[in-house]
Amino acid sequence: MQKKMAEFIVILTSMRFAVSLLVLLAIASVIGTVLPQAQPYTDYAHQFGPFWFATFNSLGIYDVYGAPWFLTILGILVLSTAFCLIRNIPTKIMGMINIWRDYVSDGGKHNGYRTSLSLGSATAVLASWMTAAGYAPRVRTTNTSASLVSVRGRFYGAGYILTHAAIVIFCLGAMYNANLPQKWQLWNGSIVPETNFSEPISDVPQVSRLPLNNAAYRGNVTLPAGDSTANAFVPSGNGYLVQPLPFVIHLHKFRISYYSNGMPKDFVSDIYIENHHGEVLKRAFVRVNHPLLYRGVDIFQASFSNGGTLLHLDSHSFSNPGATPKHVEAQIGDTLTVHDKYQVKIKSFSLRNVIPAKAAGVTASHSSPYVDLGPSMTYVVSSPSGQEAEFKTFVSPIARSGQNYFLQGVRTKGSPSYQYLLIPVGPDGGINFFMAYLTQLRNVTANGTKLTMQVATTIFKKQISTSYPSIMSDYRQQAKLFQSVMNAMTQLQAYPVPFVMTVDGYKHKWAAGIEVTKWPGTIFLYIGSVLLVLGIMISFYMPQRRIMVKLSAAGEGTDVAITGHSSRGGSNVPEVIDALYERIKTESEGEHNE
Amino acid sequence: MNSLHVRFDELNNDAGLRSSWHPKPMDGLWALLLTGGAAVLLLLFSKSFGYWQYLILGCWYVALLISGLYWRPLQIMTYVVLAFSMVAVWLYSIGQTPDNNWLMRYVLQGDAAAMWMSGFLLLATIGYEIYLFTCKSSVAAASTALTWLGVVMGFTALGVRWRETYIGHPSWGHIPVGNLWEVMLLFCASTSLFYLFYESRYKAKALGAFVMPLVGVAALFFLWITFAQHMDKIEPLIPALQSFWMKLHVPMMFIAYANFTIASLVGFAYILDGVSQKRGGGLALILPGKQVMDDIMYSAITFGFLLFTISTILGAAWAAQAWGGFWSWDPKETWSLIVWLNYAGYLHARTVKGWRGTNMAWWSFLSLWVVSFCFLGVNLFLSGLHSYGKL
């Protein structure tokens, strides 16, 4: 049994095994970069079909880096490193303390030499030559023997200890942060992830709740502006676990600032940390790259989303332009039925639409080549015949060459860009003038009158006098407006639905994605990092080169044995040994010849 | 007696490669100018410095000082790059722009200087290939000179672009390592610079014929993303990238990539050297010898590995600030772990097992694919947190 254990440790600590593990781990890591990890399981099922989905699931491919087999490889690697470390620490430390120790020489074929020089003079000359070769020795003598040792890079062994200890410390820190006991509980079923994402938090069963004093966790929570939370959600497998927090996070405000080209510049969550009685303990602005550390818990700005924006919408009918627009309130994600049988799904609402001024057809201001077209709403309309089109409605009118327009983009399914419908707006800034004019035209043609240009102009003038008196005397403006109205009517021919949605008003609300982590093992990660870098520096740039000369008196002469050792190839140790032998031989012969 | 003393002195240098260092007057100037430069920066900006800025300045100061003393051509290069960049910055400051000044338009603005760099490096690549087949030392000297010109223009381009990111929109300003265009520029310039270092240290000009083609390919790719993808457009940084960590993490990573790349291509030369020796070809005669190539490979990999390790750790520390986790198994992170494990394996095999020769050259050469995938492949083919360089 003991023998087997010893054999096992020999294999575990062998270099071949370690290098194989390094390579195996590298290859295994590739899997998770090729297959997107931690997606909803339905996506995988759709992608692989039922058989492969189940097979891959049992292999843990959807969360490779948390899969038992992957963690086992990692564990064995750490174990191997730890055993190597334990086995080698004594020799490495002894090597640093005791420089007189014998090493296996890599000096080559020499068997020693007997010189006719006396012990004293042989010691003296060898010491001076070693110094000349850059290996100034330390000398130890007795009456009958002497040792000369020169060690460059004495603390080379520390490099080995530091790098390997760093890996072990690192992994211990990471294991602590990964909360292994909890992984075990998940595995044996005493904790079960909740998979119903729409359930209110109070209904989540106890088995899906983590303890308040949990050792380590990484959770997240989506918090609409004005809301508070005392829990975070830890994603786990196909569901989530509820992690109670030691305080309440209240999101006071969420703010995005922008660059002039419309790219986001900063995401800021203005949060209050409160105790459970609503008392404010701390206020902080949490930004990307600037988390808040509070009582061992880190709070990060992770993402943002819509937090319940309320839209006031009007639907105007083109087929019955005279009818009062239907007013409706909606939130993003809602589906409305408009114009009897059209399904309108509110897709998104954005506060800004920054585009290059050239693309908007307006002249750029001096300060910036970009313009902000203001807020817009996107919605998808499904017609009764099943056709779909996407629409983009801008809240505020857009000015173009002296006339303001209501702007509405349309794109049918599969088309990459929007076609724009431009409806000129009247004195109220809305499309009511246009709709009223449409109504008048319709009334006239319903009476059987043929629609000619003259009829159209007459009705237009009448319309101006009743609902746009401010431009009564401005004929240029009238002409512009008339031209725009005619253009809009032409564009309407190709418009796919008989109505248009306008945004009458809105109450925008953000939600901040907040990440909450508790990682007490982090200090070990930093210690490990520092040790690792130090160790690598020592291993690479303080290589050990060691030359040792042993002399012992033999009658009149002296026996000389020179050994050497270097920690890396390309050193001059073998050459120095050769040269030292050569010198002592020449010196002895010279003495004989004299 | 005397002759033997000379031999011992020679032994004092590792195989004659590392000559002992003696100060020269130019070193004094170097130390003086660097210290003066650092002092000026402190005088101008110390009001807006946090302690991290002091740390970064300190790191750059020490690293430049030591590298310049260790390898003197770096001093000259720094002077030239600084002079060019400062002329450009000065011209911008007096209202000269690429629109109204031909020197800015065709030479000094970031884009133009980068084009010059690409041109010089491509010419240098051709030069080194010609040298490989003609063995004319004048051709080798010309190729080296062209590489130097490329390096100078490359770093000038980076310096000027750094200034340009602030022009017109001060809040956009950032160190030019924020998108694929900028890092490709850095990659071309720094790989060439490190190649020049190894070339001059080991007097190994023929290696240029192996290292520079990859730089040439990188330069072509760089031209393609400039003209076909218009990635040279200056854009501001997304919030996650607005961090002092970027000034350390990215440049260090690219010094590591440069060294790994050189090591792997020297490995390729080593393999061909072996083939050539077997067949009695001429290649082995012009290459610097197996021992030297082995040394270059090892030096480049160790230096690269050290910087790669530090840079990955800095990246993890940054990720902990920005994304709330040291390690998210994001594709870039995973691939950098793969690169790290790969070279850790290589170094173990070499230092502990003492493996040398053709097998290790193959290992070093094949590692290029792992490194390139980590550097470019991840951004081009996979998506994740590091998706800044999408085409």
Side-chain angles (χ1 to χ4, degrees), chain A residues 15-16 18-19 21-23 25-27 29-30 32-34 37 65 70 74 77 129-135 152 156 164 167 170 177 218 259-261 263-267 287-291 300-302 367 370 515 517 519 522 525-526 528-530 532-533 536-537 539-541 545 567-572 575-576 578-580 582-583 586-587, chain B residues 1 4-5 7-15 18 168-169 171-172 233-245 291 295 298-299 301-306 309-310 313 316-332 334-335 337-342 344-353 355-356 363 373 382-383:
Chain A
M15 181 50 55
R16 197 174 286 273
V19 172
L21 274 179
L22 289 177
V23 175
L25 192 67
I27 293 168
S29 303
V30 176
T33 67
V34 178
Q37 299 285 291
Y65 309 113
F70 188 87
L74 210 61
L77 190 66
W129 292 331
M130 281 175 76
T131 310
Y135 287 88
R152 281 188 186 177
Y156 174 74
H164 291 76
I167 300 293
F170 218 86
N177 282 351
R218 179 180 187 176
Y259 293 110
S260 54
N261 71 345
M263 273 172 64
K265 183 178 172 188
D266 205 1
F267 305 116
R287 302 160 52 209
V288 180
N289 272 315
H290 301 275
F300 297 87
Q301 171 57 46
S367 56
Y370 299 93
E515 187 171 299
T517 64
W519 277 342
T522 300
L525 299 184
Y526 286 124
S529 304
V530 173
L532 183 63
V533 172
I536 290 177
M537 280 178 164
S539 302
F540 290 167
Y541 299 110
R545 272 165 295 171
S567 64
R568 89 182 218 206
S571 87
N572 62 350
E575 286 98 324
V576 171
D578 288 349
L580 285 173
E582 207 178 298
R583 281 304 302 269
T586 344
E587 194 80 353
Chain B
M1 194 69 194
L4 274 167
H5 266 293
R7 258 201 79 187
F8 275 115
D9 286 347
E10 275 173 8
L11 284 172
N12 204 352
N13 317 325
D14 263 347
R18 200 171 304 160
H169 24 64
S171 67
W172 292 22
K233 218 169 57 182
I234 291 172
E235 288 201 328
L237 292 180
I238 60 165
L241 287 183
Q242 297 165 15
S243 168
F244 55 84
W245 292 108
Q291 179 65 49
D295 262 14
Y298 181 70
S299 304
I301 287 179
T302 46
F303 188 59
F305 188 75
L306 174 67
T309 307
I310 299 176
I313 290 170
W318 182 7
Q321 290 268 308
W323 302 329
F326 286 87
W327 200 260
S328 314
W329 294 101
D330 157 65
K332 193 84 165 184
T334 310
W335 273 95
L337 176 72
I338 294 168
V339 169
W340 195 85
L341 290 171
N342 171 59
Y346 174 95
L347 290 165
H348 275 89
R350 199 190 138 108
T351 52
V352 182
K353 280 293 197 191
W355 289 359
R356 295 284 191 288
W363 192 336
F373 195 82
L382 307 174
S383 63

Side-chain angles (χ1 to χ4, degrees), chain A residues 483-502:
Chain A
Q483 189 56 49
S484 305
V485 167
M486 289 298 129
N487 288 346
M489 283 169 67
T490 317
Q491 286 173 342
L492 269 182
Q493 310 278 322
Y495 196 69
V497 292
F499 64 91
V500 67
M501 309 286 292
T502 59

Side-chain angles (χ1 to χ4, degrees), chain A residues 415-433:
Chain A
S415 107
S417 58
Y418 285 105
Q419 305 274 322
Y420 284 97
L421 167 69
L422 289 144
I423 300 178
V425 297
D428 62 346
I431 64 171
N432 292 332
F433 175 85

Side-chain angles (χ1 to χ4, degrees), chain B residues 255-300:
Chain B
I255 296 176
Y257 285 151
N259 279 276
F260 288 153
T261 306
I262 291 167
S264 78
L265 293 166
V266 172
F268 184 56
Y270 190 103
I271 296 163
L272 288 189
D273 180 75
V275 175
S276 157
Q277 274 182 357
K278 260 186 211 155
R279 297 198 183 157
L283 183 62
L285 297 176
I286 194 171
L287 282 171
K290 284 204 148 91
Q291 179 65 49
V292 171
M293 287 194 277
D294 194 70
D295 262 14
I296 297 180
M297 257 192 289
Y298 181 70
S299 304

Side-chain angles (χ1 to χ4, degrees), chain B residues 78-325:
Chain B
T78 311
Y79 296 147
V80 179
V81 167
L82 273 180
F84 282 10
S85 315
M86 280 160 79
V87 167
V89 169
W90 172 70
L91 284 174
Y92 271 124
S93 75
I94 58 167
Q96 301 289 305
T97 64
D99 295 328
N100 60 19
N101 181 313
W102 68 267
L103 183 67
M104 294 292 268
R105 183 158 64 242
Y106 295 115
V107 186
L108 284 182
Q109 67 158 317
D111 275 43
M115 294 305 110
W116 281 101
M117 175 204 74
S118 311
F120 283 133
L121 293 181
L122 284 167
L123 283 178
T125 307
I126 297 168
Y128 278 113
E129 298 312 316
I130 295 174
Y131 170 62
L132 193 66
F133 291 102
T134 62
C135 302
K136 276 191 185 153
S137 59
S138 57
V139 177
S143 310
T144 306
L146 282 168
T147 313
W148 269 117
L149 288 173
V151 168
V152 164
M153 290 318 283
F155 283 107
T156 303
L158 284 166
V160 178
R161 188 179 173 86
W162 198 339
R163 176 68 196 135
E164 283 168 352
T165 58
Y166 287 86
I167 292 173
H169 24 64
S171 67
W172 292 22
H174 59 268
I175 183 171
V177 292
N179 72 1
L180 189 61
W181 191 88
E182 292 165 348
V183 297
M184 281 309 296
L185 177 57
L186 177 64
F187 177 76
C188 290
S190 59
T191 308
S192 306
L193 179 66
F194 272 90
Y195 164 69
L196 286 171
F197 167 73
Y198 290 110
E199 183 191 278
S200 78
R201 259 306 120 118
Y202 293 87
K203 317 231 170 338
K205 290 197 179 266
L207 289 178
F210 294 88
V211 176
M212 291 307 286
L214 192 107
V215 176
V217 169
L220 286 176
F221 178 72
F222 177 72
L223 291 176
W224 181 70
I225 60 174
T226 309
F227 291 110
Q229 308 286 327
H230 305 291
M231 289 184 81
D232 55 328
K233 218 169 57 182
I234 291 172
E235 288 201 328
L237 292 180
I238 60 165
L241 287 183
Q242 297 165 15
S243 168
F244 55 84
W245 292 108
M246 190 163 92
K247 293 193 181 76
L248 292 172
H249 173 66
V250 186
M252 266 189 171
M253 221 31 145
F254 276 84
I255 296 176
Y257 285 151
N259 279 276
F260 288 153
T261 306
I262 291 167
S264 78
L265 293 166
V266 172
F268 184 56
Y270 190 103
I271 296 163
L272 288 189
D273 180 75
V275 175
S276 157
Q277 274 182 357
K278 260 186 211 155
R279 297 198 183 157
L283 183 62
L285 297 176
I286 194 171
L287 282 171
K290 284 204 148 91
Q291 179 65 49
V292 171
M293 287 194 277
D294 194 70
D295 262 14
I296 297 180
M297 257 192 289
Y298 181 70
S299 304
I301 287 179
T302 46
F303 188 59
F305 188 75
L306 174 67
L307 287 186
F308 193 83
T309 307
I310 299 176
S311 173
T312 306
I313 290 170
L314 293 179
W318 182 7
Q321 290 268 308
W323 302 329

Side-chain angles (χ1 to χ4, degrees), chain A residues 177-249:
Chain A
N177 282 351
N179 202 341
L180 288 187
Q182 185 184 307
K183 293 257 183 308
W184 171 254
Q185 284 176 303
L186 267 169
W187 191 75
N188 74 15
S190 53
I191 297 179
V192 182
E194 174 59 56
T195 50
N196 181 358
F197 283 87
S198 50
E199 195 169 36
I201 197 157
S202 50
D203 293 353
V204 174
Q206 199 56 39
V207 76
S208 305
R209 288 171 184 271
L210 297 169
L212 179 64
N213 57 0
N214 198 0
Y217 50 83
R218 179 180 187 176
N220 51 58
V221 60
T222 301
L223 205 55
D227 279 17
S228 299
T229 182
N231 296 287
F233 301 93
V234 179
S236 175
N238 197 16
Y240 63 91
L241 300 165
V242 174
Q243 173 64 58
L245 301 174
F247 43 72
V248 175
I249 304 174

